[in-house]
Amino acid sequence: MFRALAVASVALGPRSAGRARTMASHQLLVPPPEALRKPLSVPNRLLLGPGPSNLTPRVMAAGGLQMIGHTHKEMFQIMDDIKQGIQYVFQTKNPLTLAISGSGHSALEAALFNVLEPGDSFLVGANGIWGLRAADIGERIGAHVHTMVKGPGGHYTLQEVEEGLVQHKPALLFLTHGESSSGVLQPLNGYGELCHRYKCLLLVDSVASLGGAPIYMDQQGIDILYSGSQKVLNAPPGTSLISFSDKARNKIYARKTRPCSFYLDVKCLANLWGCEDKPRIYHHTTPIVSLYSLRESLATMAEQGLESSWRQHREAAAYLHGRLQALGLQLFVKDPAVRLPTITTVAMPAGYNGKDIVSYIMDHFDIEIAGGLGPSAGKVLRIGLLGCNATWENVDRVIEALKEALQRCPRNKL
Ligand SMILES: *Cc1c(COP(=O)(O)O)cnc(C)c1O
Ligand SMILES: *[C@@H]1O[C@H](CO)[C@@H](O)[C@H](O)[C@H]1NC(C)=O
């Protein structure tokens, strides 16, 4: 490398030699890293944690396709396909429906940055980590954040929500449909209607539940719904899905202040995604290859059909729950009606360190499961059955692994 530079300075004429000399006076301080000389190595692992999930062969094939430009007509067609796919999986007719160039968090930020203005009252259901994150982002915006904190495992009744609406008169309520840190499925029937009676918009996180448990955006009166690509959809992380009702759209378009993020400004994104009848103009380069993959994962879901996917997850989860209980383990969420089918939380078996169990299963079976997160840390083990891997065969595999881990991992005498 260094020799080659010196030779070049001799071979070039006097003018470029001067430039080459200056270049040579700045020698490379950082050599090419040894690590990058080795071929890329990625293990083939069964991902049964809370996400990401394994990719289907169809999604992987999409990820290996050649680049096109982000403004080519074929790309606009792919984006239109994605919009229709999102409208299907969300069960919405909202024109303001698009994919965000970023993981689930960026969809949450897109929702909050655009819908909330400084000083708005923001009511948050915080029964796990996601509500705490929403509250954190709300505070950064300068909203008046009111958290309804509950221990992990809890959910919100209509009555509790109504009390919050009466007390805090929020412009926006945040609820998590699939609380993946605690394993709770938040009921959603009636919540939208209730919010609207109090002039409040309803924002729902369905990152962990979409495709695995029923959700009907329009019929349930959800104003802003978002989800991610790397859970039930079996696509790579890095894109997320979002849709805004007319009510939410009106609040955004009536803002007095501009959203603090340019990248996530929904007005710009609406144009980029062809949600309005105007020519699309450059805003940012979309993650083209990730969008191919997202399209294919939505196409897979459309082919299978939502109802069939919901049934698959419900049945696989019921089988998992039965086998866990047969091992003598306790499900963390007591009420079967609010157990999240996609991600099951197991109460940490007494005397064990969750990290030992998770590592044992990784090291001996090449299967990923997870411990708790945020408020559920140390309290649970989490097993995800997401999309194509929500099968009885995988339940058998993870149960076998768990059984052996419980025999072999150290256990403190109680
Ligand atoms: C995974 C998850 C997220 C976060 O998504 P990222 O893609 O990691 O940003 C948000 N909400 C829920 C419920 C999740 O399970
Ligand atoms: C998990 O899903 C991936 C993608 O569909 C598949 O290739 C793999 O075989 C599945 N694993 C098992 C054990 O079912």
Side-chain angles (χ1 to χ4, degrees), residues 312-323 325 341 344 385 392:
Q312 179 192 335
H313 287 84
R314 190 177 61 237
E315 290 175 0
Y319 179 56
L320 172 64
H321 296 171
R323 297 226 41 196
Q325 287 165 324
T344 294
L385 296 172
W392 286 41

Side-chain angles (χ1 to χ4, degrees), residues 44 46-47 54-57 60 234 388-389 391 393-394 397:
N44 195 353
L46 179 58
L47 302 179
N54 289 102
L55 306 180
T56 62
M60 272 199 278
N234 300 128
C388 63
N389 280 137
T391 62
E393 184 208 339
N394 286 336
R397 288 180 61 174

Side-chain angles (χ1 to χ4, degrees), residues 44-301:
N44 195 353
R45 207 160 260 164
L46 179 58
L47 302 179
L48 300 183
S53 58
N54 289 102
L55 306 180
T56 62
R58 180 171 177 180
V59 167
M60 272 199 278
L65 295 177
Q66 182 55 282
M67 191 61 55
I68 58 175
H70 55 290
T71 57
H72 295 180
K73 65 178 190 309
E74 295 84 356
M75 196 60 216
F76 289 157
Q77 181 62 53
I78 291 168
M79 291 162 80
D80 288 345
D81 296 350
I82 288 171
K83 278 197 294 184
Q84 290 183 47
I86 299 173
Q87 287 172 331
Y88 171 65
V89 293
F90 282 6
Q91 285 296 294
T92 181
K93 297 193 168 146
N94 293 332
L96 189 45
T97 298
L98 52 93
I100 303 277
S101 307
S103 78
H105 279 87
S106 64
L108 170 59
E109 291 203 335
L112 297 180
F113 286 172
N114 286 280
V115 173
L116 287 179
E117 287 195 82
D120 275 351
S121 172
F122 177 33
L123 184 62
V124 178
N127 54 339
I129 195 169
W130 307 108
L132 298 176
R133 295 267 163 108
D136 179 319
I137 298 164
E139 276 163 13
R140 289 166 193 248
I141 296 169
H144 295 303
V145 180
H146 308 282
T147 43
M148 301 183 283
V149 177
K150 271 201 178 203
H155 69 279
Y156 297 92
T157 63
L158 284 166
Q159 194 190 333
E160 287 165 335
V161 166
E162 185 159 17
E163 283 162 14
L165 293 170
V166 169
Q167 194 185 343
H168 301 295
K169 301 183 179 47
L172 183 68
L173 166 69
F174 172 91
L175 291 176
T176 308
H177 185 219
E179 224 304 338
S180 52
S181 67
S182 64
V184 167
L185 184 71
Q186 169 67 46
L188 289 175
N189 283 336
Y191 291 75
E193 214 182 307
L194 178 64
C195 285
H196 298 158
R197 240 188 284 144
Y198 289 90
K199 303 257 176 301
C200 173
L201 299 175
L202 174 59
L203 162 63
V204 174
D205 172 330
S206 70
V207 178
S209 55
L210 185 80
I215 194 161
Y216 306 88
M217 183 174 190
D218 289 0
Q219 291 166 75
Q220 290 173 323
I222 300 166
D223 292 292
I224 308 108
L225 181 62
Y226 69 93
S227 192
S229 53
Q230 78 274 26
K231 309 231 171 165
V232 171
L233 287 177
N234 300 128
T239 61
S240 47
L241 329 176
I242 198 163
S243 179
F244 299 85
S245 71
D246 287 345
K247 283 193 182 71
R249 184 188 184 282
N250 292 344
K251 181 158 188 336
I252 293 170
Y253 280 68
R255 286 179 70 99
K256 291 182 200 74
T257 57
R258 291 200 302 172
C260 63
S261 168
F262 176 82
Y263 192 61
L264 296 174
D265 186 324
V266 163
K267 281 189 188 172
C268 303
L269 299 179
N271 174 275
L272 183 67
W273 279 83
C275 301
E276 41 186 43
D277 248 351
K278 286 188 202 142
R280 304 185 203 209
I281 48 174
Y282 171 69
H283 176 255
H284 70 273
T285 310
T286 50
I288 294 161
V289 174
S290 299
L291 291 177
Y292 302 164
S293 297
L294 180 61
R295 184 207 181 272
E296 292 301 89
S297 68
L298 289 165
T300 304
M301 183 60 77

